[in-house]
Amino acid sequence: MVKIYLDPGHGGSDTGAVGQGLQEKHVTLAIALKIRNILNNSYQGHQIRMSRSTDSTVSLTARTNDANQWGADYFVSIHINAGGGAGYEDYIYSGLSNQGTTGKYRQIMHEEIIK
Ligand SMILES: [Zn+2]
């Protein structure tokens, strides 16, 4: 059973980026809820926990503590890039190697999402 932790960036009093009539916190939540629905409706063998499933304020420390206490195997934090640029990016913790498990998972996810 793989434990997947979905973290919609920002929320509540933290709007994240604002522009084009949108607030990042709403877009990240919509994406996370969609991911949860796809995983739950089309796949088995996993559990999902979310840092928030409503427009609520959750500190970064509370998010990571919750994921660690739950024993998450995979932590995905969703953000919308608003600093210019275009396309899709994914990052892993800077202390990890691209050749490690997390780096390999990142590469798989990147290729699938780009499709
Ligand atoms: Zn963000």
Side-chain angles (χ1 to χ4, degrees), residues 9-10 16-17 24 28 78-81:
H10 311 281
E24 182 180 359
T28 60
I78 298 161
H79 290 264
I80 305 299
N81 198 344

Side-chain angles (χ1 to χ4, degrees), residues 51-86:
S51 59
R52 64 183 184 95
S53 57
T54 61
D55 182 20
S56 54
T57 303
V58 183
S59 74
L60 296 181
T61 301
R63 294 168 198 244
T64 53
N65 284 347
D66 186 51
N68 285 328
Q69 283 163 11
W70 183 55
D73 296 302
Y74 201 77
F75 182 100
V76 182
S77 187
I78 298 161
H79 290 264
I80 305 299
N81 198 344

